[in-house]
């Protein structure tokens, strides 16, 4: 079943995964070619984090994810945990948080440990879901001082779960703290069998024209 909020990639988007191969991805550890298994147009987390070869500054990311159901005795952070790291530094949490009444900073749709989702937009486990993330890179002055923090707006299954949320710094497990540099999309292998498909990034300019 296709995700209901799915839009085709806009012109200029970089398709990072179309279901056929991982040519756009490398392993976090060692930098070799990514080798997550692909089946039915989806990749499954296995053997460590992977990251895109392309690096991005300001962008719109679309990604679809699937959290398999877990046995009832598996709780909280053990339920289909993964994550989508923006610039390899800021994690949008992936977790089976279906039915969680008041989701917190560790739940699905959170900017991990910084900002809980505004609403619980999760579908049941064993269903495809989507994230659309609009990321605004932090701004620096000529002297290299940060003058504006990174910001992210996140739609989960078409619902806003992060509204232009400030990111005060990197989240746990970040690749680096090189905030002024472009960074990749990083997908977390947290030891669960989470799947991803239809991954694209549309780079955005830092600003529009300054004329009227
Ligand atoms: Mg995670």
């Amino acid at each position: 079943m296709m995700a209901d909020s799915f839009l085709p990639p806009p012109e200029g988007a970089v398709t990072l995964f179309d279901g056929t191969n991982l040519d756009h991805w490398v392993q976090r550890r060692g930098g070799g070619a990514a080798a997550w298994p692909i089946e039915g147009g989806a990749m499954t987390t296995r053997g460590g984090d992977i990251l895109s070869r392309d690096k991005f500054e300001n962008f719109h990311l679309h990604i679809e994810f699937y959290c398999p159901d877990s046995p009832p005795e598996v709780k909280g952070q053990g339920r289909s945990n993964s994550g989508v790291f923006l610039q390899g530094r800021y994690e949008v949490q992936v977790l089976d948080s279906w039915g969680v009444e008041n989701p917190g900073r560790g739940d699905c749709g959170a900017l991990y440990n910084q900002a809980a989702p505004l609403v619980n937009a999760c579908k049941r486990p064993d269903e495809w879901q989507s994230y659309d993330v609009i990321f605004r890179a932090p701004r620096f002055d000529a002297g290299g001082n940060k003058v504006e923090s990174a910001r992210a707006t996140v739609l989960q299954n078409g619902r806003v779960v992060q509204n232009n949320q400030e990111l005060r710094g990197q989240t746990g497990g970040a690749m680096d703290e090189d905030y002024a540099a472009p960074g990749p999309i990083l997908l977390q292998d947290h030891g669960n069998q989470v799947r991803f498909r239809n991954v694209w990034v549309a780079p955005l300019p830092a600003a529009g024209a300054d004329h009227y």
Side-chain angles (χ1 to χ4, degrees):
M1 191 185 80
M2 290 301 289
D4 47 17
S5 63
F6 188 69
L7 293 169
E11 196 182 331
V14 181
T15 297
L16 293 179
F17 180 66
D18 68 1
T20 61
N21 65 73
L22 290 171
D23 291 356
H24 280 266
W25 301 83
V26 295
Q27 298 180 45
R28 178 176 187 170
R29 204 177 307 114
W36 287 6
I38 298 173
E39 200 187 324
M43 54 171 141
T44 301
T45 56
R46 192 177 303 164
D49 300 349
I50 62 171
L51 50 122
S52 65
R53 295 178 191 273
D54 298 273
K55 295 179 179 176
F56 304 99
E57 295 189 71
N58 309 284
F59 57 83
H60 172 185
L61 163 71
H62 177 88
I63 187 165
E64 297 173 20
F65 63 96
Y66 179 108
C67 294
D69 203 0
S70 309
E73 65 271 20
V74 176
K75 306 288 186 196
Q77 295 294 306
R79 296 186 67 85
S80 280
N81 195 332
S82 183
V84 178
F85 282 71
L86 315 171
Q87 292 192 324
R89 301 179 190 120
Y90 315 96
E91 181 183 7
V92 183
Q93 173 70 313
V94 170
L95 192 72
D96 170 18
S97 296
W98 183 75
V100 173
E101 221 168 273
N102 186 18
R105 294 195 310 271
D107 276 306
C108 202
L111 298 170
Y112 189 74
N113 209 20
Q114 288 199 30
L118 298 173
V119 295
N120 189 336
C122 293
K123 295 186 180 179
R124 289 173 177 273
D126 294 330
E127 287 190 32
W128 280 100
Q129 308 192 53
S130 66
Y131 274 148
D132 283 275
V133 181
I134 295 91
F135 179 75
R136 188 180 195 276
R139 305 299 201 237
F140 294 83
D141 67 16
N145 306 298
K146 190 172 88 169
V147 292
E148 290 180 62
S149 295
R151 290 183 171 274
T153 293
V154 180
L155 285 79
Q156 181 181 358
N157 305 318
R159 295 182 71 190
V160 176
V161 293
Q162 299 289 343
N163 180 6
N164 192 28
Q165 177 63 46
E166 179 180 9
L167 284 150
R168 295 179 297 278
Q170 87 278 12
T171 60
M175 285 181 65
D176 61 41
E177 299 176 15
D178 208 359
Y179 301 120
I185 305 302
L186 183 150
L187 303 179
Q188 183 184 54
D189 175 11
H190 206 279
N192 301 137
Q193 305 268 295
V194 175
R195 301 176 212 169
F196 293 98
R197 72 178 185 190
N198 289 334
V199 188
W200 54 258
V201 175
L204 300 171
D210 60 3
H211 62 72
Y212 179 66

